[in-house]
Amino acid sequence: MITPATLRSSQLPASILLADPVDSMSEEDGVGLILFPGDGDTSSPDVAWSYTGFAAFRRRLAQAEGFPLSAMRGFGGKRPWSDVSTTLEPLLDHPDDGAGALSATQCAAILPRLETIISQWQEEVGGPLLQQHIDDARRLTVVLRLCIEKDVELHFL
């Protein structure tokens, strides 16, 4: 099975993201996307989602910012990103296919807003999916802090 550490250390193409195709694991259970600091240390913390899980996480973030992600350009809608004001835009509008990275400066802008959203989510009544989003957001804050402290980019693989 391909793990996040394996992907990071070997820099496999983003298309090779799941376990052996004969494995009974579904895409939802597999790793589709990994966000990690570009510090060259494969033992650094990272956060991983299936593509479906990352899409749901970003939809909830956009909802917290007051707009439906599905209305935005690149997500099925026509609304330009210039119509919304959020420090989360670099994360929300980033391709999830492993292209590009976010700068340490962008990470520093995202972090405080993400921490505020986590606090808001903790006050909500919700089920397991909300708790998963809170846990994922907390892991992401750890990775963002590391990117800021080491002044390295946040990579998407």
Side-chain angles (χ1 to χ4, degrees):
M1 174 166 186
I2 298 172
T3 65
T6 304
L7 285 171
R8 287 175 52 191
S9 63
S10 64
Q11 296 298 301
L12 293 172
S15 61
I16 305 175
L17 294 174
L18 296 174
D20 183 346
V22 298
D23 194 332
S24 62
M25 186 158 81
S26 71
E27 179 187 9
E28 183 59 33
D29 296 327
V31 173
L33 181 69
I34 304 166
L35 278 61
F36 63 95
D39 60 0
D41 182 356
T42 58
S43 67
S44 289
D46 57 32
V47 59
W49 286 272
S50 67
Y51 285 110
T52 304
F54 188 60
F57 178 71
R58 289 199 295 187
R59 280 192 304 272
R60 188 175 292 268
L61 286 174
Q63 181 182 11
E65 292 295 77
F67 62 92
L69 192 59
S70 62
M72 303 308 296
R73 244 184 230 146
F75 294 90
K78 296 182 181 191
R79 187 175 181 187
W81 283 94
S82 59
D83 279 1
V84 298
S85 177
T86 172
T87 58
L88 299 181
E89 180 185 344
L91 177 64
L92 293 174
D93 191 29
H94 192 279
D96 60 1
D97 64 359
L102 301 183
S103 70
T105 302
Q106 289 172 308
C107 292
I110 291 168
L111 182 60
R113 182 61 187 137
L114 186 58
E115 290 173 329
T116 299
I117 290 171
I118 292 169
S119 295
Q120 292 169 349
W121 287 351
Q122 289 173 323
E123 299 298 319
E124 292 179 21
V125 175
L129 184 56
L130 175 59
Q131 187 57 52
Q132 182 63 54
H133 290 164
I134 292 168
D135 294 344
D136 290 341
R138 285 180 179 149
R139 280 191 291 279
L140 181 55
T141 63
V142 170
V143 176
L144 291 171
R145 275 190 197 94
L146 187 60
C147 290
I148 296 162
E149 290 168 11
K150 292 188 172 187
D151 194 26
V152 296
E153 294 180 325
L154 175 68
H155 290 270
F156 290 63
L157 178 67

